[in-house]
Amino acid sequence: AQWLPAYDHIADWLTDNHGKGLLCVGECGLGKTLICCNVLPVLIYHYCHKILTVYDATALATRHSEAMHDKLIVLDDIGTEPPESIIYGERHIYFNELVDEAEKRGNLLIITSNLRTRTKPGFQSIEDTYGLRTLDRLNAICTTVTFRGKSLRQ
């Protein structure tokens, strides 16, 4: 195991999250999913007696109504899901709707992504994928932690 600087920011967030969720972004293989989908739910259950519901972003379209009602949500790997769904002629971008609802209801979101938070030539960003409005809401309701380095999977 190797300790990355981003892990210190996760520990700080656990100490006092200031009522905000967590947005973990960065390259592949740096532990975002492991920490957010496996470690944090156990710690939060053990110390706070709260259950985090973990969703894979690719399943968001099929579990959207369930996710909209959860208060504590882990959403893994945003940017991998289909960009939109059309149901009965109505266009849905489920991630945007989930973020809107989380802001309105005060839901806690823990999100992982390989998308960048800022637009950079040659790289897809959260703003490119979901729009400035959703990125602005994420910045308001989440603490962003950027993971940097080479993949630890090797």
Side-chain angles (χ1 to χ4, degrees):
Q2 180 182 350
W3 188 266
L4 298 179
Y7 303 164
D8 289 324
H9 298 291
I10 302 284
D12 291 343
W13 178 83
L14 279 167
T15 302
D16 184 1
N17 70 5
H18 301 285
K20 290 185 164 193
L22 188 63
L23 173 61
C24 295
V25 296
E27 299 299 323
C28 300
L30 297 176
K32 296 180 302 294
T33 295
L34 178 68
I35 290 170
C36 293
C37 294
N38 299 301
V39 175
L40 292 180
V42 171
L43 290 174
I44 290 172
Y45 180 75
H46 181 77
Y47 289 104
C48 304
H49 308 289
K50 304 286 184 189
I51 296 174
L52 291 170
T53 305
V54 179
Y55 296 95
D56 185 83
T58 57
L60 191 56
T62 57
R63 298 182 68 194
H64 178 257
S65 60
E66 179 185 344
M68 293 293 276
H69 291 87
D70 286 328
K71 295 285 288 171
L72 307 168
I73 301 167
V74 178
L75 187 56
D76 186 40
D77 216 8
I78 63 161
T80 60
E81 74 278 10
E84 67 182 26
S85 295
I86 299 176
I87 300 174
Y88 302 115
E90 190 173 320
R91 180 177 173 237
H92 293 274
I93 301 175
Y94 291 121
F95 179 70
N96 292 15
E97 293 174 14
L98 186 66
V99 171
D100 289 349
E101 193 67 17
E103 183 184 44
K104 289 175 193 168
R105 295 178 59 206
N107 296 349
L108 182 86
L109 297 180
I110 297 174
I111 301 167
T112 70
S113 183
N114 296 126
L115 298 174
R116 305 254 191 282
T117 53
R118 298 173 194 246
T119 301
K120 184 177 179 183
F123 296 96
Q124 190 72 8
S125 73
I126 292 173
E127 182 180 346
D128 297 333
T129 306
Y130 303 106
L132 182 58
R133 179 177 177 269
T134 297
L135 178 59
D136 186 57
R137 288 176 188 255
L138 282 173
N139 288 332
I141 65 173
C142 292
T143 298
T144 301
V145 176
T146 302
F147 287 64
R148 291 185 174 92
K150 293 182 181 179
S151 175
L152 301 174
R153 287 191 179 118
Q154 300 165 11

